Amino acid sequence: MRNIDSYGHVRGESLFVDDIIVRQDTLYGLTFDSPIAHGKIKNINYDKAAQVDGVIKIFTHKDINGENQIGGILPDEPLWAEDEVHFMGQPIAFIVAISESIAKKARALITIEIDELPVITTAKEAKEKGSYINAPRSFMLGDTEKAFTNCDYVFEGESFSNGQEHLYLETQGCYAVPMENGNIKITSSTQGPTAVQKIVARVLGVAMHTIEIDVIRLGGGFGGKEDQATPWAVMAAVAVQHLKKPVKYILNRHDDLRMTGKRHPYESTFKIGLTKDLKIKAFDVEFLQNSGAAADLSPAVAERTLFHATNSYFIPNVSSIIRSCKTNLPPNTAFRGFGGPQGMFVIESAIAHAAYKLGVDKSEIQEANLLTEGDEFSYGQIATQVEAKACWRMTKEAFQFDKLQKEVALFNKENTVLKKGLSLMPIAFGISFTNTQMNHARALIHIYQDGSVGVSTGAVEMGQSVNTKMLQITANTLGIHPSKVKLETTNTTRVANTSPSAASSTADLNGNAVLKACSALIKRLTKVAATMLSVEEEIISFKDDKVFVNNNKSDLFWEKVVEQAMSQRVALSENGHYATPVIHFDKTKEKGHPFAYHVYGTAITMVTVDCLRGTYKFDAVKIVHDFGKSMNLGIDIGQVEGALAQGIGWMTMEEIAFNEKGKLLSNTLSSYKVPDIFSVPKEIDIIPLETLGNHMAVLKSKAVGEPPLMYGIGAYFAIQDAVKAFNKNYQPKFHAPFTPEKVLMSLYADK
Ligand code: MTE
Ligand code: HPA
Ligand code: MOS
């Protein structure tokens, strides 16, 4: 089934926040933010700005009736700064005017004096100064100290990965409208409607039921709208509370880039120990996470880094620690993979480092250590239904890896200016929110009396096509044509207390809730149909808009059964609730079974490097991916392709840059390069691994949103392979992104 949004998207008819027809008395908001990364506010003068014709009011922390606190995990982030500022771009005030351009004019007239304080921009500096968000976390398995003494080889090194800008096509935004009795309805571009509702209520000092959040769809989120869609909606809501007029606030790209957090940069050190047969016996790693100026989701992201510190490998002795370092950058946040990619880049760096020192191919060490059934992860979960080796083997066989290696070697022998490189990248990604209590969802299904169906869930559509999957599950379970089913907006008054659409778990959680609700409805309708046909309930089923008896089509239509049920006063609505079974985690011991299952896969990346220019082109990426039993292969393959492009971008061309004053230098699309159609691999082959699927996945169709991003890590090591072919003296460094500038320097380092 094709994506139900494709028709509207292609025709430009799909609605986003900015497309809503606004009420006539709508006002427009704009943030005044800190021009300094760290300091004490001495004085702010709003007088000139307030006098601009058309400016209605300028809001500050003094206008807050509830708490000036928007922190999700830790209460460490004000909505608007009070006496101090902690990052450049930190919101201080909110200008509300009759137009956006007037608000902009007013903003330029605000003057501020700040006593500057020392600025920290890197995690290392923060560690030196003891500047942390919270206490460190540490996962341990076996005894690394003892294991290292028994290793034949021990290597140490360091690895750095940079941040990444989400660059959702639709910037952050919201539209807040006053309703009767002080209630407020907010249309928000958020992955977490309940998070927005909860924080708005907290800051306004009102009950959650007075705040309604509605989400139509997002023009991309990628984690950037899991928590960071909230502040803008809260600002607009504060203004609505005071002014009793609708307030619209859509960030322009410049403001969005400057004020929002990104993927966390990581500085890490590792020690890896191997035996002669290339078995990794011990791994010791310290991750320094650059969290930015407030916690945001950093503690949860940090946790996932530890969960993925050994990627798809079994290592019997692991000692891992992560420190969330407080710096003067915008609070970094969720980004596809949620700390997993950062963790995996370090173990891949360690393996590459060891391979270089030992003079073996990196893939030999990878292959020798792949996970198998029954292996224990450092957090205590026992790996089951492991597909690591199956994916690896199938990748090598189906895409003839040995032949590719020979072709590359031959090419490199015959060419001096162009060099090719190859890499293999296995992945194992845990599915479930690492915070067990978040793994639940609800769905509300109405069958209308004409037989058409409306579906509300807690799932937010952000381009990942979750709505199409929800529709598919509904139509399948009810046995009706998809055209009879409509997906409603995501609204807190219909489906409450939702977890954000994140952790790749949205379809699993909400889909299972849909499944449960539809099954309950079918049970009731079965009874009605059985009476109508005078047969036993057990032999009735619904399919193709008809009732089947003993798997034979009867003359009874879906609509007739619904009509009869209605006249018999049978409930045609149902609320389904699903909570992932089995999972648990004990944070005091750092052990448990946090994931419903893992997603596996392996990618081959082939690149050609221009050794005069340092530029590169990806010839091909060839993947075997574990979709389980995909319920929609077209959509799932689209997710793999998109995630791959985003992963390659993170590893190669996307370079976030801050200066020592904490100013974002890559603050435009001319100074921040994202992958475009020209940088996508010329060939992308994706083969689904054939399995029976995993019963913990909805309809055995595994989560797919984030895992394939980590195939992009293969791009770094493919380039490194090509550089080695050109420069025999090159000593591998692990400092992503591998931009053309860095490639050029590497090609000629010590040459
Ligand atoms: N795909 C598109 N087109 N747009 C997005 O914003 N977000 C990604 C992924 N795929 C995203 C996307 C992220 S970060 C996650 S966690 C998942 O989708 C969320 O959706 P799911 O849980 O339905 O997979
Ligand atoms: N993944 C994504 N988002 C999250 C998670 C997670 O594990 N936990 C909290 N938010
Ligand atoms: Mo995705 S980073 O879990 O929104």
Side-chain angles (χ1 to χ4, degrees):
M1 192 181 142
R2 66 152 198 237
N3 183 335
I4 54 171
D5 275 344
S6 53
Y7 185 82
H9 281 4
V10 169
R11 292 166 62 92
E13 290 171 356
S14 301
L15 296 180
F16 298 82
V17 179
D18 203 16
D19 297 316
I20 295 171
I21 311 261
V22 298
R23 247 169 62 170
Q24 218 166 26
D25 53 348
T26 294
L27 301 170
Y28 297 83
L30 189 74
T31 292
F32 170 70
D33 57 295
S34 177
I36 297 291
H38 193 197
K40 283 201 182 327
I41 298 175
K42 262 173 61 184
N43 175 47
I44 311 180
N45 192 329
Y46 295 110
D47 294 350
K48 275 196 184 145
Q51 281 157 20
V52 172
D53 204 21
V55 169
I56 306 296
K57 184 171 163 67
I58 300 174
F59 291 89
T60 69
H61 67 94
K62 291 178 187 148
D63 299 299
I64 290 174
N65 291 331
E67 284 175 68
N68 182 21
Q69 183 49 251
I70 60 166
I73 295 181
L74 300 175
D76 68 347
E77 190 178 357
L79 176 69
W80 288 311
E82 296 187 10
D83 317 317
E84 282 194 10
V85 286
H86 293 271
F87 65 92
M88 208 179 278
Q90 181 174 352
I92 296 172
F94 188 58
I95 306 151
V96 174
I98 57 168
S99 79
E100 217 176 289
S101 58
I102 288 172
K104 229 171 170 174
K105 207 167 120 188
R107 178 165 75 176
L109 297 172
I110 299 173
T111 55
I112 184 164
E113 277 177 79
I114 297 177
D115 271 341
E116 292 189 39
L117 290 165
V119 170
I120 302 175
T121 60
T122 68
K124 231 179 219 160
E125 264 178 277
K127 187 188 171 189
E128 279 158 18
K129 294 184 179 160
S131 169
Y132 298 116
I133 294 287
N134 57 357
R137 294 275 299 273
S138 181
F139 288 7
M140 302 286 183
L141 181 69
D143 182 344
T144 42
E145 228 171 284
K146 205 168 116 202
F148 276 121
T149 61
N150 294 328
C151 284
D152 299 310
Y153 317 108
V154 176
F155 304 107
E156 289 182 55
E158 52 186 42
S159 174
F160 171 83
S161 63
N162 205 343
Q164 185 176 21
E165 166 57 42
H166 302 87
L167 218 96
Y168 22 67
L169 284 183
E170 177 207 29
T171 56
Q172 304 273 5
C174 65
Y175 182 46
V177 179
M179 311 302 279
E180 58 180 17
N181 302 324
N183 298 328
I184 299 174
K185 177 176 175 176
I186 305 170
T187 306
S188 166
S189 176
T190 180
Q191 292 174 238
T194 292
V196 175
Q197 182 193 21
K198 188 171 153 184
I199 308 283
V200 167
R202 185 202 287 168
V203 176
L204 268 56
V206 299
M208 277 174 78
H209 71 197
T210 67
I211 306 299
E212 172 184 352
I213 309 298
D214 192 73
V215 184
I216 312 169
R217 63 165 61 72
L218 275 51
F222 307 112
K225 295 171 182 171
E226 182 173 335
D227 261 26
Q228 297 208 359
T230 301
W232 330 109
V234 181
M235 292 175 195
V238 170
V240 170
Q241 192 183 33
H242 283 263
L243 303 173
K244 315 260 182 300
K245 288 207 171 151
V247 174
K248 181 169 170 173
Y249 181 25
I250 310 277
L251 275 68
N252 64 50
R253 182 65 68 184
H254 229 92
D255 284 5
D256 187 308
L257 289 172
R258 183 178 68 254
M259 296 193 288
T260 63
K262 304 163 199 320
R263 185 188 290 285
H264 297 76
Y266 274 56
E267 289 167 87
S268 311
T269 46
F270 60 79
K271 185 171 162 186
I272 186 169
L274 304 93
T275 52
K276 282 212 167 66
D277 56 356
L278 302 182
K279 288 274 184 204
I280 305 171
K281 286 295 173 201
F283 183 54
D284 189 339
V285 59
E286 181 191 53
F287 298 104
L288 300 184
Q289 176 197 59
N290 188 333
S291 315
D296 192 274
L297 288 162
S298 296
V301 171
E303 184 175 68
R304 198 176 265 282
T305 300
L306 295 182
F307 283 119
H308 295 102
T310 55
N311 188 15
S312 191
Y313 310 108
F314 172 61
I315 306 180
N317 301 283
V318 179
S319 156
S320 59
I321 184 165
I322 185 157
R323 302 178 197 281
S324 292
C325 300
K326 189 171 179 169
T327 61
N328 299 109
L329 301 183
N332 286 316
T333 193
F335 196 132
R336 206 170 194 169
F338 206 74
Q342 290 97 320
M344 291 191 198
F345 183 62
V346 179
I347 181 67
E348 294 302 324
S349 298
I351 291 173
H353 182 68
Y356 168 74
K357 292 283 184 188
L358 294 172
V360 301
D361 198 86
K362 179 174 179 259
S363 67
E364 285 183 53
I365 301 181
Q366 291 175 303
E367 187 169 312
N369 293 282
L370 291 170
L371 274 169
T372 39
E373 206 69 14
D375 284 342
E376 185 177 350
F377 288 100
S378 69
Y379 45 92
Q381 183 158 344
I382 304 299
T384 56
Q385 290 189 265
V386 184
E387 308 291 359
K389 285 185 175 165
C391 289
W392 179 275
R393 276 194 213 117
M394 190 167 163
T395 303
K396 283 183 78 170
E397 281 163 25
F399 299 119
Q400 300 184 294
F401 184 69
D402 296 344
K403 198 170 148 223
L404 291 176
Q405 270 185 316
K406 284 190 194 116
E407 277 171 26
V408 166
L410 184 68
F411 180 94
N412 287 345
K413 214 167 130 192
E414 290 175 349
N415 290 272
T416 43
V417 172
L418 296 179
K419 294 288 181 194
K420 281 191 192 290
L422 263 183
S423 75
L424 274 157
M425 179 65 201
I427 60 155
F429 194 80
I431 301 303
S432 289
F433 284 96
T434 56
N435 186 4
T436 302
Q437 66 189 42
M438 292 172 78
N439 293 286
H440 62 108
R442 277 149 303 286
L444 177 64
I445 317 270
H446 298 315
I447 301 175
Y448 294 96
Q449 52 193 291
D450 66 351
S452 65
V453 176
V455 177
S456 295
T457 75
V460 168
E461 176 58 55
M462 58 185 118
Q464 89 281 39
S465 314
V466 69
N467 279 354
T468 303
K469 290 187 173 177
M470 296 304 104
L471 189 146
Q472 251 183 286
I473 294 169
T474 307
N476 253 337
T477 317
L478 298 180
I480 55 176
H481 193 266
S483 61
K484 288 197 169 62
V485 185
K486 179 196 171 201
L487 258 289
E488 305 290 354
T489 61
T490 314
N491 187 297
T492 53
T493 68
R494 274 179 270 112
V495 179
N497 305 320
T498 61
S499 289
S501 285
S504 307
S505 303
T506 317
D508 272 357
L509 297 173
N510 293 274
N512 273 308
V514 168
L515 204 61
K516 281 179 119 177
C518 289
S519 303
L521 288 164
I522 277 295
K523 212 167 160 191
R524 297 206 282 270
L525 292 178
T526 298
K527 205 168 167 186
V528 174
T531 314
M532 290 172 87
L533 293 169
S534 306
V535 298
E536 297 292 310
E537 285 175 39
E538 289 69 38
I539 54 172
I540 291 235
S541 56
F542 288 79
K543 217 173 78 184
D544 302 335
D545 299 319
K546 285 243 169 148
V547 176
F548 281 60
V549 179
N550 269 332
N551 293 321
N552 296 315
K553 200 185 280 182
S554 75
D555 291 333
L556 187 55
F557 278 96
W558 164 259
E559 281 82 358
K560 278 282 166 213
V561 183
V562 171
E563 193 186 302
Q564 179 67 12
M566 179 72 187
S567 68
Q568 287 179 4
R569 299 184 291 170
V570 171
L572 291 174
S573 295
E574 184 68 24
N575 179 41
H577 169 84
Y578 176 77
T580 314
V582 184
I583 55 171
H584 59 89
F585 194 71
D586 181 347
K587 280 193 187 180
T588 60
K589 298 194 178 77
E590 301 288 28
K591 296 282 180 196
H593 187 108
F595 299 120
Y597 56 89
H598 284 77
V599 169
Y600 297 91
T602 302
I604 297 172
T605 304
M606 197 203 275
V607 71
T608 304
V609 173
D610 178 330
C611 300
L612 283 181
R613 298 181 179 85
T615 53
Y616 42 78
K617 281 212 154 69
F618 293 96
D619 306 307
V621 177
K622 296 164 186 282
I623 297 169
V624 172
H625 186 83
D626 164 28
F627 295 98
K629 259 171 70 86
S630 174
M631 78 166 88
N632 192 321
L633 202 55
I635 283 170
D636 287 350
I637 283 183
Q639 283 292 295
V640 175
E641 291 171 342
L644 172 70
Q646 209 160 26
I648 293 177
W650 172 52
M651 279 284 112
T652 61
M653 65 179 70
E654 296 184 45
E655 192 170 34
I656 301 260
F658 286 94
N659 70 11
E660 71 288 351
K661 289 270 190 194
K663 180 183 160 65
L664 179 70
L665 302 175
S666 50
N667 64 349
T668 62
L669 294 189
S670 56
S671 52
Y672 186 77
K673 181 84 184 115
V674 287
D676 56 19
I677 195 65
F678 301 105
S679 51
V680 166
K682 281 187 213 130
E683 192 190 329
I684 300 178
D685 281 338
I686 299 160
I687 300 180
L689 180 76
E690 278 184 36
T691 70
L692 297 173
N694 188 301
H695 69 280
M696 294 283 278
V698 65
L699 300 180
K700 298 191 175 180
S701 180
K702 282 189 168 183
V704 69
E706 294 167 286
L709 181 131
M710 284 145 275
Y711 292 135
I713 294 172
Y716 189 96
F717 295 97
I719 294 174
Q720 197 160 65
D721 194 45
V723 170
K724 272 192 269 181
F726 181 80
N727 179 1
K728 301 288 172 251
N729 298 328
Y730 168 66
Q731 300 195 19
K733 290 202 176 51
F734 310 102
H735 199 282
F738 220 159
T739 56
E741 291 87 337
K742 277 194 216 155
V743 172
L744 194 63
M745 305 281 270
S746 306
L747 288 166
Y748 295 94
D750 306 315
K751 198 172 161 75

